[in-house]
């Protein structure tokens, strides 16, 4: 795995343009969007970890990571974000992350003071990026 924290990899994958789009959606600036990304990545991975220790959760997470490791490298950059990369962060891994989005949105909203609906919208943009980064990490460890 990479020595860089997951949050840094997600921010790099997200890029300045998409970060600015997220900031506009949230009604904040790029720094506010970066803070939301940091809080969201931490919460998403925390919820996934919690889910993994529930009955069946570990098996589902393992299947998602195995599937991600076997999938081709998703499209990145503007092409992947603009709908051309429909598989970007797709598959079971993104499904697992989406299951964690509701508790993540509530936790991040509570920490940041942003409305849950705004955080949920930002997570919709963020989840495919997080899934892409996790899939890339899974391929590197394979």
């Amino acid at each position: 795995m990479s020595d860089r924290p997951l949050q840094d990899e997600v921010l790099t994958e997200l890029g300045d343009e998409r970060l600015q789009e997220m900031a506009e959606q949230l009604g904040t600036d790029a720094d506010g969007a970066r803070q939301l990304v940091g809080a969201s990545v931490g919460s998403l991975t925390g919820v996934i970890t919690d889910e993994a220790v529930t009955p069946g959760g570990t098996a589902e997470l393992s299947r998602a990571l195995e599937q991600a490791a076997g999938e081709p490298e998703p499209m990145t950059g503007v092409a992947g974000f603009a709908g051309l990369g429909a598989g970007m962060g797709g598959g079971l891994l993104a499904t697992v992350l989406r299951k964690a989005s509701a508790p993540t949105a509530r936790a991040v909203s509570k920490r940041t003071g942003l409305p849950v609906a705004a955080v949920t919208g930002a997570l919709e943009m963020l989840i495919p990026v997080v899934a892409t980064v996790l899939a890339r990490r899974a391929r590197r460890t394979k």
Side-chain angles (χ1 to χ4, degrees), residues 14-140:
L14 191 60
D16 291 339
E17 187 175 315
R18 287 188 279 175
L19 191 65
Q20 186 57 44
E21 288 178 40
M22 186 179 290
E24 289 170 9
Q25 179 180 353
L26 293 167
T28 187
D29 59 10
D31 286 336
R34 275 187 200 86
Q35 290 174 356
L36 178 114
V37 169
S40 298
V41 168
S43 290
L44 275 172
T45 56
V47 170
I48 289 171
T49 302
D50 291 346
E51 292 250 336
V53 296
T54 62
T58 302
E60 184 175 4
L61 184 56
S62 293
R63 279 193 308 272
L65 289 171
E66 285 174 16
Q67 178 184 345
E71 289 178 356
E73 182 76 17
M75 289 172 45
T76 58
V78 176
F81 185 72
L84 298 174
M88 179 178 167
L92 189 56
L93 183 56
T95 301
V96 171
L97 289 170
R98 281 187 184 91
K99 287 171 70 176
S101 67
T104 296
R106 288 190 298 272
V108 171
S109 174
K110 190 173 184 177
R111 267 185 277 175
T112 63
L114 292 167
V116 173
V119 174
T120 300
L123 284 175
E124 289 175 13
M125 294 175 70
L126 192 58
I127 285 173
V129 177
V130 173
T132 296
V133 171
L134 290 174
R136 188 175 298 127
R137 282 181 164 208
R139 279 190 294 281
R140 284 193 296 240

